[in-house]
Amino acid sequence: MKRIRAIAHKEFLHVVRDPRSLLLAILMPMMMVFLYGYAIDMDMKKLKVAVMDLDQSAASRDLVRRMTSSGFISDAARLTSRTEIERGFRRDLFRAAMIIPRGFEESLQRNRTTAVQFLLDGADETSAAAASNYLNATIALVNRERAGQRLEAPIEARTRVLYNPQLVSAHFIVPGLAAVVLILVCALLTSIAITREKETGTLEQVLTTPVRPLQVIVGKIIPYTAIAALDTVLVFVVGHFVFHVPMTGSWLLLALYSLIYLIVALGLGLLISAAVQTQKLAMMLALVGTLLPTIMLSGFVFPISSMPVVLRIISRIIPATYYLEIVRGVMLRGDAWFPVQFAVLTGMAVLLLVAASRSFRMRLES
Amino acid sequence: MSESSAASDGCAVRATQLTRRFGDFTAVDGVDFAVSTGEVFGFLGANGAGKTTVIRMLCGLLAPSAGEARVAGFSVNRQPDAVKRHIGYMSQKFSLYGDLTVGENLQLYGGVYGLKRHDAEDRGRELLSRLDLEQAADRLPTALPLGFRQRLALGCAVLHRPRILFLDEPTGGVDPVARRKFWDLIYELADGGATVFVTTHYMDEAEYCGRVSIMDRGRIVALDTPDELKKQNGARTMQDVFLKVIRP
Amino acid sequence: MTSAASTIPHLRFAGVRKSYGGTSAVAGLSLDANAGEIFGLIGPDGAGKTTAMRIACALLLPDAGTVAMLGHDVVTSPQSVKRHVGYMPQRFSLYGDLTVAENIRFFADMYDVPSAQRREQEERLMQFSRLAPFRGRRAAQLSGGMKQKLALSCTLIHTPEVLILDEPTTGVDPLSRQEFWAILKQLAADGHALLVSTPYMDEAELCDRVALMHHGQALAAGTPGEIKAGFTRRLLEITGQDALTALRRLTQKRNELAVSVNRFGDRIHIVYDEDRQRENVLSLLRGLDMSARHVEPDIEDVFVERMEREERTA
């Protein structure tokens, strides 16, 4: 225990005394979130929604008011027939339409789950995905606001994308960013933690002490977990307050799940660091090994359900796939319980840490 | 012309009240000395005494805060570029390119010094044989023993036939046999008319020098031939001289 | 101390071999270093000194042979070996961004030094290395000599019986070297066994015993006096005003005369075997302002002579 503490303390001093690397560890995730975030935010601000209110009741008017008061959805037009929707899409008058069915209020009063329908213009798939994301989230928010009121039954969003129906699973880009940014930063941080000592020669001295590999690995991971946790908080704070990603679930649960994910990412970096000899190679591997698969195969941009079987299998070994499911679930649907994802990520964390301490050689390779 | 005529007074290096300050720390404090053409001049001192700062000023890499130095007849204060053309510099780190072969390193420095292509090739071949590096010409410096890397670094420093050669701890960590070989090369260069200015921590090497200066805390505290220094200090070896003149 | 323990050397190499790829770095090295002794390893770059030392610290596995540290085998019980040995690598291997005190404390933790002894031990090391005024300074900002003393302090924190120091004084000025060797002498007097490699021949004279390493083997081993007594050839020192001319004549004829010619500043050393050769040398110098006298060899003369003999037979 004393050794683990000593290594963690020393590693912490390295980080604190190298302000450039500390700045990078904080700035890089911020930059990535702002760059990606603004690119998507542009589309959000323009999201015009047409409303076809077939119920014309107090409840339906309340729903429309609540939806538009969020600021991101503008009440672009009032429609009376479905043909107007397609015409509106073609003329680019609006991107989405909300249809409130007849009997909406009555259904709620009978305490039944009541659906509203969303139709999306799928021609521009990115903005449609984002729109879908927002509409779902807004409904979830409305549901929360309504909780404790007279009409307690939840409203359910039924989203359909016109012209490009497969898009439905390419949702939720904004919260997915967290998965990409965190794994990249964490793996980069730790990928040089051991290789740096190999290059400066300090490892030779450490190896002559009776320290055990697992003590080195655990000692090194502790301070970086702290930095990564700070990064996580920053990413979600920016996502929530600057880009208005809704939070329907529990922050505490999100933090707990995120911690597991961070350890997986840090462990991956340490495994690389233990296995290779130079900082340059370690950073390259960390970059290539995390960024590309996470962006392409985790469901962040491309829906997993539309991937070929081989890629779908590969996506199951990418940690971000599971974390994405958790983040979407917690933030957008308010879900709390992810036994499979939790088990898989925990398993990965343990496996990576064991692999890292296995490949940490107590002798000098030559 | 008036500039280079100074070189004909027989002095390859002349420092006059040479001073360098870093903030309020005086690294080199009014140093005076002269080195004659063809001399092997040993420049000794404790770690941190200011040796490297003096060499950097003499090579035109660092401007003096006060005083002046002339190297090969040019002023390091006003003509650092002219100084650089006439000197060779070998650092203690043996600045070689690890991913270029021995031959390619020599070719590269030929290009850096502006030699014509076939001149550089001829000179490269000549140095390979003189420095006993022929069998290593196609190998990477990183794969060679330290003694080879040291001779290659010397080769790179003398490729353009400099009049004055600055060697900063050229033999650090090199074994006695390789060191003797290296000193043979230094003498060969000196016999050929080059002036050699060398720093070392090996006191036996100090005995190999024509004259020796010893620096301590920014000043020169002793300067003479090894025999004379030993006589003056009643010492048997240069090691004893060093320990006598340096304040602990 | 039991009588059994005193018969085991602190450090024993027995027929140790190690090669990388096809090249042999250590080729059958055997030596013993005892308590209270400084054992010097002298040899050219690539002679296998560093490899041998790393094997002794359980950093490398030998291909054949054994190394035992107070009876503990480096292959089968590396953890026990590490508790008894302090190793100082050739390259400065401490954390430059940590202070003197932080470096010492880190290694104290690595070696599990009990907190009761720790403060006392830290103070003792600060005293003898005279680093106390610099305890808050970052290691990277220390001078060469101070860095080496700090590195030595870190290797001593767990009071190891055996110290293995790989060229501890390379790049260090003579004054700091003298101070450093005074510390080593004190450690030997305190009963440590020290294995030290050095490229400085004058330091070889300070060792109790030395081994001349070449191509992974010990060419000769013994006290400095024994090593010098093993010099079978004779040595002539030539000095005078016409050194340059003399040197030129001698180097031209060196093969003909079958002598070695080495220059030390303004002195020339001639290594020869027979009177006839000396006569030839002297006649070659006739007319020059030079004088010759017989001198005793130092370790460097022996070393160079043995190396040249090896090169000839190879």
Side-chain angles (χ1 to χ4, degrees):
Chain A
M1 251 349 259
K2 195 192 271 174
R3 293 203 187 111
I4 293 177
R5 211 190 53 212
I7 291 174
H9 178 65
K10 165 191 85 75
E11 211 68 26
F12 175 74
L13 291 178
H14 289 325
V15 175
V16 174
R17 291 186 185 164
D18 183 9
R20 277 177 314 164
S21 74
L22 188 62
L23 210 63
L24 193 73
I26 306 289
L27 274 186
M28 195 167 77
M30 288 296 94
M31 266 174 57
M32 285 181 75
V33 171
F34 274 102
L35 283 176
Y36 277 90
Y38 271 120
I40 290 154
D41 194 45
M42 292 303 159
D43 290 331
M44 286 306 91
K45 295 238 147 108
K46 280 184 253 163
L47 185 64
K48 292 178 192 150
V49 183
V51 177
M52 191 160 98
D53 185 354
L54 301 177
D55 197 42
Q56 295 289 349
S57 60
S60 70
R61 278 191 293 274
D62 180 59
L63 175 64
V64 171
R65 193 174 46 74
R66 285 179 192 276
M67 294 280 297
T68 50
S69 69
S70 73
F72 301 99
I73 293 165
S74 64
D75 187 357
R78 295 284 163 155
L79 310 176
T80 47
S81 78
R82 282 181 182 255
T83 51
E84 285 175 77
I85 295 177
E86 290 201 24
R87 202 167 58 218
F89 280 169
R90 276 192 220 106
R91 289 191 191 163
D92 224 6
L93 295 175
F94 43 83
R95 287 270 172 82
M98 174 166 72
I99 303 170
I100 303 173
R102 207 163 309 230
F104 175 76
E105 188 178 43
E106 191 189 339
S107 169
L108 285 175
Q109 275 163 349
R110 288 194 186 157
N111 222 2
R112 275 196 302 226
T113 302
T114 307
V116 294
Q117 192 183 21
F118 290 108
L119 293 177
L120 294 174
D121 177 2
D124 173 356
E125 58 182 280
T126 322
S127 80
S132 156
N133 177 4
Y134 267 88
L135 292 170
N136 278 286
T138 312
I139 289 291
L141 270 179
V142 169
N143 276 329
R144 239 188 8 187
E145 283 173 20
R146 289 173 61 256
Q149 285 188 359
R150 197 165 43 85
L151 308 172
E152 280 182 39
I155 300 166
E156 187 185 64
R158 289 204 184 132
T159 313
R160 263 187 60 207
V161 180
L162 300 183
Y163 314 122
N164 182 9
Q166 274 198 330
L167 192 72
V168 180
S169 45
H171 298 171
F172 312 161
I173 284 184
V174 177
L177 254 180
V180 178
V181 171
L182 292 179
I183 200 168
L184 176 66
V185 174
C186 294
L188 277 180
L189 273 178
T190 46
S191 69
I192 59 166
I194 298 171
T195 43
R196 185 181 50 215
E197 294 211 38
K198 289 179 186 170
E199 284 187 7
T200 56
T202 49
L203 195 65
E204 188 173 353
Q205 191 80 67
V206 172
L207 290 184
T208 52
T209 72
V211 72
R212 305 272 181 187
L214 194 64
Q215 294 169 334
V216 175
I217 298 294
V218 174
K220 286 204 176 252
I221 213 165
I222 290 171
Y224 293 108
T225 308
I227 297 172
L230 181 62
D231 277 339
T232 314
V233 170
L234 286 173
V235 165
F236 283 115
V237 163
V238 170
H240 185 67
F241 290 103
V242 180
F243 296 109
H244 307 281
V245 178
M247 178 54 170
T248 53
S250 147
W251 284 112
L252 186 69
L253 269 174
L254 183 65
L256 285 176
Y257 286 122
S258 298
L259 190 66
I260 306 287
Y261 181 64
L262 293 186
I263 294 175
V264 171
L266 295 167
L268 182 68
L270 277 178
L271 175 61
I272 293 171
S273 204
V276 309
Q277 295 300 317
T278 64
Q279 295 189 60
K280 220 161 48 174
L281 181 60
M283 289 183 79
M284 284 295 291
L285 280 178
L287 198 70
V288 173
T290 58
L291 198 60
L292 227 61
T294 305
I295 288 185
M296 308 303 278
L297 299 174
S298 68
F300 170 50
V301 178
F302 305 108
I304 293 172
S305 57
S306 58
M307 286 178 190
V309 182
V310 183
L311 292 186
R312 240 183 296 175
I313 293 167
I314 293 174
S315 80
R316 294 331 291 182
I317 59 164
I318 294 173
T321 306
Y322 302 93
Y323 183 62
L324 260 168
E325 288 166 4
I326 293 175
V327 179
R328 287 168 180 166
V330 172
M331 292 193 84
L332 304 175
R333 289 195 305 273
D335 293 348
W337 188 229
F338 297 90
V340 177
Q341 289 86 344
F342 180 77
V344 171
L345 285 179
T346 309
M348 282 180 170
V350 172
L351 208 70
L352 281 167
L353 289 183
V354 169
S357 61
R358 281 284 176 84
S359 44
F360 181 81
R361 298 261 155 256
M362 285 310 286
R363 297 182 198 274
L364 293 170
E365 282 157 277
S366 43
Chain B
M1 276 317 287
S2 64
E3 289 297 350
S4 59
S5 66
S8 60
D9 71 350
C11 272
V13 178
R14 182 187 288 283
T16 320
Q17 284 298 304
L18 192 64
T19 301
R20 174 71 204 200
R21 285 182 284 269
F22 296 101
D24 51 6
F25 170 66
T26 305
V28 178
D29 188 5
V31 159
D32 286 300
F33 64 89
V35 181
S36 329
T37 303
E39 191 174 6
V40 177
F41 187 80
F43 198 61
L44 316 181
N47 294 109
K51 287 175 298 175
T52 304
T53 307
V54 169
I55 291 198
R56 290 203 175 135
M57 285 193 278
L58 296 181
C59 292
L61 299 173
L62 199 64
S65 309
E68 90 152 341
R70 301 185 77 80
V71 173
F74 300 99
S75 160
V76 302
N77 308 53
R78 295 184 308 275
Q79 302 157 290
D81 292 332
V83 167
K84 285 179 196 170
R85 274 198 299 278
H86 291 90
I87 60 162
Y89 172 65
M90 175 178 164
S91 86
Q92 46 188 308
K93 297 200 180 81
F94 304 168
S95 316
L96 301 169
Y97 290 89
D99 46 0
L100 298 182
T101 66
V102 168
E104 285 163 351
N105 264 289
L106 284 171
Q107 287 307 305
L108 173 77
Y109 277 93
V112 169
Y113 287 124
L115 266 64
K116 291 203 184 78
R117 191 191 189 86
H118 73 267
D119 281 353
E121 280 169 12
D122 288 351
R123 180 77 173 143
R125 260 195 303 278
E126 178 198 333
L127 284 171
L128 281 179
S129 89
R130 262 181 69 190
L131 300 174
D132 202 11
L133 286 169
E134 276 160 320
Q135 76 273 33
D138 296 324
R139 297 183 59 192
L140 296 177
T142 43
L144 295 170
L146 201 62
F148 278 76
R149 295 210 296 275
Q150 171 208 37
R151 296 207 296 279
L152 174 58
L154 180 68
C156 293
V158 301
L159 205 83
H160 57 306
R161 296 188 176 84
R163 282 196 252 157
I164 302 163
L165 193 55
F166 290 93
L167 308 174
D168 193 4
E169 283 187 42
T171 53
V174 176
D175 69 82
V177 175
R179 270 165 55 204
R180 286 201 181 198
K181 265 193 196 166
F182 191 79
W183 274 89
D184 285 343
L185 291 169
I186 291 180
Y187 289 132
E188 249 180 64
L189 290 164
D191 292 348
T195 306
V196 181
F197 191 99
V198 58
T199 74
T200 180
H201 281 314
Y202 295 90
M203 288 305 116
D204 54 341
E205 289 185 352
E207 314 250 6
Y208 303 174
C209 299
R211 281 191 312 147
V212 166
S213 79
I214 301 178
M215 267 190 97
D216 186 24
R217 290 165 227 200
R219 295 165 181 272
I220 288 184
V221 293
L223 198 170
D224 216 318
T225 62
D227 275 345
E228 202 46 49
L229 285 175
K230 281 185 272 186
K231 239 178 265 168
Q232 286 164 11
N233 291 281
R236 201 175 52 81
T237 62
M238 278 305 291
Q239 172 94 9
D240 297 339
V241 172
F242 189 95
L243 297 177
K244 278 222 163 107
V245 301
I246 300 264
R247 291 168 294 163
Chain C
M1 264 297 166
T2 63
S3 59
S6 60
T7 59
I8 306 174
H10 269 32
L11 173 63
R12 163 167 282 173
F13 282 75
V16 175
R17 292 179 180 278
K18 173 80 182 175
S19 47
Y20 301 112
T23 40
S24 167
V26 177
L29 179 68
S30 300
L31 59 87
D32 287 348
N34 300 309
E37 178 177 54
I38 301 180
F39 196 107
L41 284 185
I42 300 155
D45 189 58
K49 292 171 294 178
T50 298
T51 303
M53 289 183 153
R54 284 176 170 173
I55 290 172
C57 299
L59 287 174
L60 290 174
L61 285 171
D63 297 338
T66 57
V67 180
M69 191 81 61
L70 293 119
H72 301 285
D73 186 278
V74 294
V75 178
T76 55
S77 38
Q79 288 297 106
S80 323
V81 165
K82 285 174 184 179
R83 285 175 207 285
H84 294 292
V85 68
Y87 171 56
M88 188 170 149
Q90 187 170 351
R91 215 165 126 199
F92 180 68
S93 302
L94 300 180
Y95 298 99
D97 53 349
L98 264 53
T99 65
V100 167
E102 284 165 350
N103 268 296
I104 292 181
R105 222 159 286 149
F106 175 71
F107 283 98
D109 283 331
M110 288 297 100
Y111 282 109
D112 256 334
V113 177
S115 6
Q117 296 167 24
R118 173 186 298 237
R119 177 149 307 178
E120 190 191 329
Q121 178 72 348
E122 278 178 19
E123 280 318 305
R124 216 171 53 79
L125 291 172
M126 288 286 185
Q127 287 307 317
F128 101 116
S129 64
R130 296 202 232 150
L131 285 171
F134 307 101
R135 67 175 74 221
R137 192 183 284 193
R138 305 248 173 112
Q141 276 139 30
L142 296 175
S143 76
M146 287 200 278
K147 274 183 187 163
Q148 296 306 84
K149 284 191 289 184
L150 174 60
L152 183 64
S153 299
C154 289
T155 64
L156 285 171
I157 189 78
H158 58 303
T159 49
E161 288 89 339
V162 180
L163 276 172
I164 297 185
L165 314 175
D166 196 357
E167 297 199 4
T169 54
T170 292
V172 173
D173 69 67
L175 194 66
S176 307
R177 273 170 53 206
Q178 195 189 39
E179 204 185 351
F180 196 83
W181 270 89
I183 295 174
L184 296 190
K185 286 282 187 193
Q186 186 55 48
L187 289 170
D190 292 347
H192 295 271
L194 285 81
L195 184 67
V196 182
S197 67
T198 177
Y200 293 92
M201 288 300 140
D202 55 336
E203 292 184 348
E205 305 264 4
L206 298 172
C207 298
D208 296 301
R209 285 191 298 150
V210 294
L212 302 183
M213 294 265 303
H214 187 60
H215 291 322
Q217 287 172 313
L219 289 184
T223 65
E226 287 165 358
I227 299 272
K228 283 186 278 192
F231 187 70
T232 53
R233 305 180 73 189
R234 292 194 277 171
L235 199 60
L236 196 65
E237 185 177 89
I238 301 168
T239 48
Q241 295 299 313
D242 297 328
L244 207 63
T245 324
L247 187 75
R248 227 169 255 148
R249 287 190 194 172
L250 285 164
T251 39
Q252 273 167 10
K253 300 265 176 168
R254 86 171 106 194
N255 292 335
E256 217 171 291
L257 297 167
V259 297
S260 300
V261 179
N262 296 311
R263 177 170 167 179
F264 289 81
D266 53 357
R267 293 165 298 142
I268 302 166
H269 277 193
I270 305 288
V271 183
Y272 68 100
D273 301 294
E274 295 162 22
D275 292 341
R276 186 178 49 78
Q277 288 171 303
R278 188 183 59 204
E279 295 311 318
N280 289 341
V281 167
L282 292 178
S283 65
L284 198 65
L285 298 177
R286 203 156 294 151
L288 296 178
D289 180 10
M290 297 297 284
S291 60
R293 66 190 181 105
H294 176 77
V295 290
E296 291 301 321
D298 56 23
I299 293 227
E300 182 159 0
D301 289 305
V302 182
F303 185 80
V304 171
E305 196 260 334
R306 288 299 299 257
M307 293 268 296
E308 282 174 355
R309 200 197 302 172
E310 278 303 305
E311 299 293 326
R312 273 197 302 275
T313 54

